[in-house]
Amino acid sequence: MRDAPDEGVVVLGLNRPERIHVDTRNGSRKFPKGESHFREIELSREYEHIAVRVQVIATSNPKGRGNAVYKPILYVLDDKGEVRAEKLVEPLHLDIRPFKPTRLLACVTLDKVRRLALATPDVALKKSFQSDSRSKLKSSNKSAFYYSTDAVKVQMPFIDSGDIVLEVISATKKGEGC
């Protein structure tokens, strides 16, 4: 996995996950779902169909205890930078593992894409992610390390900045790849 530059346009290749940081350094812009900090993403060429795998990494909550997450929305941009389509990254699935940061996973499909904007909707900043209740988990790994967890239900507020890992996958048909 590569880290994208902190500023400027992020150029993504296929099948190569890249960590993108969105915050105040990237500026903000008015989008159909409200004003937001954003990152512009460019692909090597226009693709007819793609799938975008998204991992939202939980970070420390700047306004309190616990963790908070970024609520992503992908805007498909035309050559002039105008929004042609929008796709809210949903549903987000909770992924908690021992010794790894908590993250939310999702996958969305897009059509006729060359440029994207990664942003967050205004209304999300007043809400929070709430997971379904996960059952107890017991497991051991290859090196005989054993761990178990209790049943858990997670609630994390949405914030306007964060770390997101994007991976673009080319698809042959509409709706494939996830």
Side-chain angles (χ1 to χ4, degrees), residues 13-119:
L14 290 179
N15 304 318
R16 186 183 70 211
E18 189 143 353
R19 182 188 302 260
I20 300 170
H21 186 74
V22 180
D23 65 9
T24 57
R25 292 179 288 185
N26 309 120
S28 60
R29 174 181 163 180
K30 274 266 196 222
F31 289 104
K33 298 277 186 187
E35 189 168 345
S36 171
H37 300 303
F38 75 102
R39 291 301 300 269
E40 192 170 322
I41 298 160
E42 193 166 312
L43 305 176
S44 59
R45 65 177 178 87
E46 183 170 296
Y47 289 92
E48 192 66 29
H49 308 289
I50 63 169
V52 181
R53 292 182 183 159
V54 180
Q55 299 176 35
V56 180
I57 311 298
T59 58
S60 294
N61 187 355
K63 297 178 182 174
R65 299 181 346 189
N67 289 330
V69 290
Y70 185 80
K71 172 75 172 174
I73 186 169
L74 294 171
Y75 293 103
V76 178
L77 304 175
D78 62 15
D79 292 335
K80 297 175 185 172
E82 300 297 319
V83 176
R84 189 168 35 115
E86 62 188 60
K87 185 77 170 203
L88 193 59
V89 179
E90 285 186 330
L92 294 166
H93 302 283
L94 181 65
D95 183 22
I96 298 177
R97 297 179 191 198
F99 312 113
K100 293 194 177 205
T102 299
R103 58 193 181 149
L104 304 178
L105 306 174
C107 186
V108 295
T109 57
L110 299 169
D111 300 314
K112 296 187 182 186
V113 180
R114 163 127 184 154
R115 295 174 59 201
L116 297 165
L118 173 65

